[in-house]
Amino acid sequence: MASITNIYSLKPFKTQWRVHVRILKVWKQYLNGVETLEMVVVDDMNQTMHVSLKKEYIKKHENVSEEGLSKIITNFQVAHNGGKFRTTPHVCKIQFASTTSIRPAEDIDPNILGLNFVKFSDIHEGKLNPDFLIDVVGQIVSIGEVEILNVNKKQTKRLTMEIRDTENVRLNCVLWGPYASNLESLATNTTEAVFVVVLRFSKLRLYQGVWSVGNCYNCSTVLTNPDIPEVLAFKEKLPADGVTLSYTHPNQLTIVSSISVRDDFFLHSPRRTISEIIAASEVGKCVTMATIMSIDTEFGWYYMSCKTCSKKVFPHDMDAMREKYPGRPFKKQLWKCGKCNTDVEEVIPAFMLTFRVMDNTGETKFLLFDKLAMEVVNQTASQLTQSVDEIQDPDVLPMSLSNICGKTYLFKVAIESSNIVFNSDTYKVMKIVTQSDLVKEFSEISVSQNTIEAKHEEHVLTSLTTEAPLLLEDDYEDVKTPSSKRKSNDSEEIGNDSGELSVASKKTKNDFKNGDDAKHTVMKPVKKEKTDD
Ligand SMILES: [Zn+2]
């Protein structure tokens, strides 16, 4: 009988190997239409290794390949480990052959998990190869709420949070699908002041120059406040600064069952042409498709906002302030924030974009505040201005703003009493859809058929979503992993077998907060004809 080899020593030159391992993770994968069973195992030396079973061997072995079980695996191929989703740093993986056996074995200490936590500073410095899935441990310092997004016409959930490591380096963490809702409910119900999350086999992403981690389909595992030595040691080393879990939107802790952007535009909101919007005699909301002709700069394109509360601030006359308080130095410009009811130094530019828009029935103006504008521009106002002052020459537009002209998007707008009573020709935008396939689809549905056809299609999509995995952009495109082997018994573990996963799609972000911003903004456009543009 062959002796046990430690995982570290496995090499491709032969197949008569025998290893004693514990199964950490099992899932099914569909790569380019080929079904395989994938596993990650660990031995008692804390070494992990990837295991792959071709379709023809799945049936024979899947029933005994449960997460948490210890096994002896004998006679297998050792193949090179490659690709964009490497679960372990081991250069090789175990590939089952027809002669491979997998048999019960003595339990390996359940505290041996093969965890290999990375430093967040190494992530930010780009030191890690994103082809390798990584383990991170972090204290959640802020958490958002589950958003429901449309990705490739299917709804998916997304939860964004910020975590920190023991050196107080922060990292954005984005969970998708069931991972998002599971973690949100755990975080909402926690009584722990320090809430620690472990993401195993998570995927690094670089988006617009910023690194983040998230679950990688259904092969990731999320543990919250697990009672394991590594996490207890992590908690010990956290800075003793009293930072605890905070919620990005404290009034909305429960899972938002908000309707998707797609439903909103295709089903729930009345569709109007621009001439119908102008002629409206009642307040309300509607959706429309319009082309941006130009950016109206009468009121500028950004305003200065309070860094604390995001509301508009007004500059003090510093000369007058120095006269009034001769003893005080006043090194920086002070701004009056009406909401904080104080003078603030920390201010930041925020978008306020007025689009001149048209369709084939008429023209009007649409007003977008900061968050919505960012979805269109894909940059923040401060990135564009590089300024901490009020606008000086409103007609000088950054290229990324002028580039928007000519684009056709879907808008959900509010018809308010100012529009009806005071004939204001500027309508506040509540939501925007820039995704070209949705815009195209919207344009192809004639108004009269709108409701029936869209409802039918939505029904089909909904039923698909429950079974089929989402297809993803860029490097995710060729991989689908629709089912994990089993659900864990561990209530703290979030490993879900529905396989609903996705990637960020900034442009379809479902955002309900902008109407509120608009209400608080002092700048109120009035109807005024301009003839020079
Ligand atoms: Zn403020």
Side-chain angles (χ1 to χ4, degrees):
M1 183 167 158
S3 59
I4 302 286
T5 303
N6 70 58
I7 277 181
Y8 185 77
S9 306
L10 292 176
K11 299 220 162 50
F13 62 88
K14 66 170 191 175
T15 58
Q16 278 185 310
W17 298 107
R18 173 166 294 186
V19 290
H20 180 201
V21 296
R22 206 158 65 83
I23 300 172
L24 294 171
K25 190 77 194 172
V26 184
W27 71 99
K28 272 192 186 156
Q29 180 169 289
Y30 296 80
L31 182 59
N32 300 326
V34 179
E35 183 186 5
T36 55
L37 187 73
E38 307 291 326
M39 288 190 241
V40 184
V41 297
V42 65
D43 70 5
D44 58 5
M45 312 277 284
N46 210 31
Q47 288 285 334
T48 56
M49 194 162 186
H50 193 95
V51 181
S52 195
L53 281 77
K54 287 182 180 156
K55 188 169 192 250
E56 55 263 43
Y57 308 132
I58 295 177
K59 215 172 192 173
K60 184 175 168 192
H61 300 292
E62 71 175 335
N63 291 337
V64 296
S65 306
E66 284 193 16
E67 284 170 17
L69 294 184
S70 295
K71 298 285 177 186
I72 300 269
I73 306 176
T74 310
N75 292 1
F76 46 82
Q77 291 183 307
V78 177
H80 281 286
N81 193 22
K84 291 192 164 198
F85 303 94
R86 276 177 264 176
T87 53
T88 87
H90 203 300
V91 293
C92 295
K93 65 177 179 180
I94 292 173
Q95 183 84 54
F96 270 44
S98 58
T99 51
T100 306
S101 76
I102 177 164
R103 306 169 64 83
E106 191 187 328
D107 277 342
I108 289 176
D109 181 352
N111 278 330
I112 297 178
L113 292 166
L115 287 163
N116 186 13
F117 293 127
V118 301
K119 278 172 72 174
F120 292 1
S121 55
D122 286 349
I123 295 176
H124 294 307
E125 287 163 23
K127 286 182 182 169
L128 302 180
N129 180 345
D131 291 348
F132 289 89
L133 304 184
I134 55 164
D135 298 333
V136 295
V137 58
Q139 179 196 0
I140 305 179
V141 289
S142 73
I143 189 165
E145 62 197 46
V146 168
E147 303 163 282
I148 296 172
L149 308 184
N150 266 298
V151 178
N152 293 345
K153 298 189 183 176
K154 296 185 183 77
Q155 288 178 31
T156 188
K157 293 172 185 163
R158 181 178 74 178
L159 180 68
T160 308
M161 57 194 173
E162 188 184 48
I163 58 179
R164 68 167 181 174
D165 65 11
T166 53
E167 286 159 9
N168 202 21
V169 179
R170 310 291 173 105
L171 179 67
N172 287 332
C173 175
V174 184
L175 296 181
W176 297 93
Y179 289 90
S181 39
N182 289 348
L183 186 72
E184 184 185 59
S185 69
L186 286 170
T188 306
N189 295 321
T190 186
T191 53
E192 309 264 351
V194 174
F195 197 68
V196 172
V197 65
V198 172
L199 263 89
R200 292 220 73 178
F201 316 122
S202 58
K203 181 74 175 162
L204 277 173
R205 275 186 77 80
L206 183 63
Y207 182 70
Q208 296 189 339
V210 179
W211 285 102
S212 64
V213 289
N215 59 294
C216 177
Y217 304 97
N218 54 359
C219 72
S220 299
T221 299
V222 178
L223 306 163
T224 56
N225 279 331
D227 204 8
I228 56 176
E230 290 91 337
V231 169
L232 298 176
F234 172 85
K235 283 182 175 177
E236 290 277 302
K237 281 191 263 171
L238 275 172
D241 52 11
V243 170
T244 55
L245 178 62
S246 75
Y247 296 89
T248 315
H249 308 296
N251 300 327
Q252 297 163 22
L253 291 188
T254 51
I255 295 174
V256 183
S257 58
S258 54
I259 51 173
S260 72
V261 171
R262 189 197 151 81
D263 278 5
D264 202 9
F265 277 81
F266 285 80
L267 293 175
H268 298 295
S269 303
R271 179 173 170 166
R272 300 273 181 269
T273 63
I274 286 178
S275 65
E276 286 168 337
I277 290 171
I278 295 169
S281 57
E282 280 177 37
V283 297
K285 293 175 182 125
C286 65
V287 293
T288 192
M289 184 175 75
T291 301
I292 300 163
M293 295 186 291
S294 62
I295 292 171
D296 187 310
T297 55
E298 187 181 5
F299 293 90
W301 53 272
Y302 72 90
Y303 59 93
M304 298 309 294
S305 70
C306 170
K307 230 176 181 173
T308 308
C309 69
S310 308
K311 299 308 172 209
K312 184 174 164 57
V313 291
F314 297 90
H316 276 293
D317 176 351
M318 295 314 290
D319 291 338
M321 293 288 276
R322 283 182 193 103
E323 272 173 34
K324 200 172 165 191
Y325 305 103
R328 288 167 62 181
F330 291 123
K331 288 202 184 92
K332 284 179 104 173
Q333 172 71 46
L334 284 180
W335 306 74
K336 176 81 187 170
C337 175
K339 179 141 195 254
C340 296
N341 198 22
T342 181
D343 294 333
V344 292
E345 279 183 0
E346 297 293 310
V347 296
I348 189 168
F351 281 119
M352 189 195 63
L353 290 182
T354 307
F355 291 152
R356 291 174 165 267
V357 295
M358 62 172 286
D359 66 5
N360 55 13
T361 69
E363 299 177 19
T364 189
K365 288 188 231 168
F366 285 168
L367 176 64
L368 285 82
F369 285 97
D370 201 41
K371 283 177 190 160
L372 272 188
M374 278 194 273
E375 288 183 37
V376 182
V377 184
N378 277 322
Q379 275 175 292
T380 64
S382 58
Q383 281 171 328
L384 290 190
T385 59
Q386 293 164 348
S387 156
V388 285
D389 206 352
E390 286 187 311
I391 203 159
Q392 300 302 321
D393 184 354
D395 290 323
V396 177
L397 279 180
M399 190 70 93
S400 39
L401 287 186
S402 29
N403 282 346
I404 297 166
C405 299
K407 299 266 168 63
T408 300
Y409 295 142
L410 308 182
F411 299 88
K412 182 179 186 182
V413 298
I415 301 167
E416 299 183 325
S417 57
S418 61
N419 301 117
I420 295 163
V421 180
F422 301 109
N423 268 342
S424 163
D425 65 349
T426 303
Y427 297 85
K428 271 176 209 151
V429 176
M430 322 297 294
K431 286 183 199 173
I432 189 161
V433 170
T434 57
Q435 241 184 339
S436 54
D437 58 338
L438 283 180
V439 175
K440 184 165 178 282
E441 193 180 344
F442 193 87
S443 72
E444 284 165 356
I445 299 170
S446 80
V447 177
S448 57
Q449 292 176 321
N450 182 5
T451 312
I452 303 158
E453 283 197 354
K455 255 187 183 140
H456 174 70
E457 192 178 341
E458 190 61 33
H459 183 75
V460 173
L461 278 175
T462 310
S463 53
L464 276 177
T465 310
T466 54
E467 296 154 25
L470 293 170
L471 257 180
L472 315 160
E473 61 170 28
D474 63 56
D475 55 353
Y476 291 81
E477 208 122 59
D478 51 358
V479 180
K480 298 192 271 177
T481 45
S483 71
S484 141
K485 179 67 181 62
R486 64 185 265 273
K487 238 177 183 163
S488 170
N489 299 326
D490 186 347
S491 62
E492 285 192 316
E493 177 175 327
I494 309 167
N496 197 296
D497 54 3
S498 86
E500 192 186 35
L501 292 146
S502 179
V503 295
S505 177
K506 205 175 178 182
K507 289 182 178 171
T508 55
K509 192 176 154 200
N510 192 352
D511 193 332
F512 291 87
K513 270 96 55 190
N514 296 280
D516 193 50
D517 286 350
K519 254 180 259 159
H520 287 90
T521 299
V522 184
M523 291 177 113
K524 189 139 192 175
V526 293
K527 184 170 183 170
K528 188 174 168 189
E529 297 301 330
K530 272 179 111 180
T531 50
D532 56 352
D533 55 1

PDB file of all heavy atoms in Angstrom, residues 306 308-309 337 339-340, ligand 1:
ATOM      1  N   CYS A 306     -21.271  70.233   0.716  1.00  0.00           N
ATOM      2  CA  CYS A 306     -20.677  69.929   2.017  1.00  0.00           C
ATOM      3  C   CYS A 306     -20.202  68.479   2.027  1.00  0.00           C
ATOM      4  O   CYS A 306     -20.951  67.583   1.660  1.00  0.00           O
ATOM      5  CB  CYS A 306     -21.730  70.156   3.103  1.00  0.00           C
ATOM      6  SG  CYS A 306     -21.264  69.563   4.724  1.00  0.00           S
ATOM      7  N   THR A 308     -19.733  66.641   4.478  1.00  0.00           N
ATOM      8  CA  THR A 308     -20.415  65.876   5.512  1.00  0.00           C
ATOM      9  C   THR A 308     -21.813  65.447   5.072  1.00  0.00           C
ATOM     10  O   THR A 308     -22.180  64.293   5.203  1.00  0.00           O
ATOM     11  CB  THR A 308     -20.530  66.718   6.804  1.00  0.00           C
ATOM     12  OG1 THR A 308     -19.233  67.204   7.123  1.00  0.00           O
ATOM     13  CG2 THR A 308     -21.079  65.889   7.943  1.00  0.00           C
ATOM     14  N   CYS A 309     -22.581  66.402   4.540  1.00  0.00           N
ATOM     15  CA  CYS A 309     -23.988  66.086   4.273  1.00  0.00           C
ATOM     16  C   CYS A 309     -24.353  66.158   2.795  1.00  0.00           C
ATOM     17  O   CYS A 309     -25.485  65.880   2.427  1.00  0.00           O
ATOM     18  CB  CYS A 309     -24.893  67.010   5.077  1.00  0.00           C
ATOM     19  SG  CYS A 309     -24.832  68.715   4.482  1.00  0.00           S
ATOM     20  N   CYS A 337     -22.884  75.830   5.487  1.00  0.00           N
ATOM     21  CA  CYS A 337     -23.758  74.706   5.159  1.00  0.00           C
ATOM     22  C   CYS A 337     -25.064  74.879   5.935  1.00  0.00           C
ATOM     23  O   CYS A 337     -25.064  74.866   7.166  1.00  0.00           O
ATOM     24  CB  CYS A 337     -23.113  73.366   5.513  1.00  0.00           C
ATOM     25  SG  CYS A 337     -24.254  71.998   5.251  1.00  0.00           S
ATOM     26  N   LYS A 339     -27.575  72.821   6.053  1.00  0.00           N
ATOM     27  CA  LYS A 339     -28.065  71.605   6.691  1.00  0.00           C
ATOM     28  C   LYS A 339     -27.307  71.327   7.986  1.00  0.00           C
ATOM     29  O   LYS A 339     -27.904  71.040   9.018  1.00  0.00           O
ATOM     30  CB  LYS A 339     -27.936  70.418   5.742  1.00  0.00           C
ATOM     31  CG  LYS A 339     -28.407  69.120   6.352  1.00  0.00           C
ATOM     32  CD  LYS A 339     -29.148  68.273   5.347  1.00  0.00           C
ATOM     33  CE  LYS A 339     -29.918  67.165   6.036  1.00  0.00           C
ATOM     34  NZ  LYS A 339     -29.285  65.855   5.864  1.00  0.00           N
ATOM     35  N   CYS A 340     -25.972  71.413   7.921  1.00  0.00           N
ATOM     36  CA  CYS A 340     -25.176  71.199   9.135  1.00  0.00           C
ATOM     37  C   CYS A 340     -25.276  72.416  10.051  1.00  0.00           C
ATOM     38  O   CYS A 340     -24.844  72.356  11.196  1.00  0.00           O
ATOM     39  CB  CYS A 340     -23.717  70.928   8.780  1.00  0.00           C
ATOM     40  SG  CYS A 340     -23.468  69.420   7.843  1.00  0.00           S
TER      41      CYS A 340
HETATM   42 ZN    ZN B   1     -23.345  69.945   5.688  1.00  0.00          ZN
END
